[in-house]
Amino acid sequence: VIGRNAARRTFIDNRIVVQPDLDGNRRVDVLDLLSIIDAWGSCGRCVEDLSGDGSVEVMDLLAIIDAWGDHS
């Protein structure tokens, strides 16, 4: 099964592949970093929670840094 949900997560064979490009501009850049900072803390099921642990914190920030750049 392949598809995308509203949280910009791609599902492939029941596994979630996280999309660190939070604004959909095909780049992981300062706009995505600012989204992480803005959502910092407990958030439940927010898009910025890239680690899926219910809060936006260091692991989510590191995911943004790791994916930094163009993703065309």
Side-chain angles (χ1 to χ4, degrees):
V1 175
I2 298 175
R4 281 180 78 120
N5 68 8
R8 293 192 177 109
R9 290 190 170 106
T10 303
F11 292 91
I12 303 172
D13 296 331
N14 296 326
R15 289 174 282 160
I16 297 176
V17 177
V18 176
Q19 302 295 326
D21 175 17
L22 299 173
D23 61 1
N25 68 354
R26 301 174 80 85
R27 290 186 302 241
V28 178
D29 57 14
V30 70
L31 297 175
D32 303 301
L33 176 62
L34 291 173
S35 291
I36 291 288
I37 293 168
D38 187 50
W40 199 266
S42 182
C43 72
R45 297 178 137 211
C46 63
V47 173
E48 295 84 4
D49 178 17
L50 300 174
S51 64
D53 65 358
S55 65
V56 178
E57 29 82 314
V58 172
M59 294 307 294
D60 307 301
L61 175 62
L62 292 175
I64 293 291
I65 293 168
D66 185 53
W68 198 268
D70 289 335
H71 296 276
S72 301

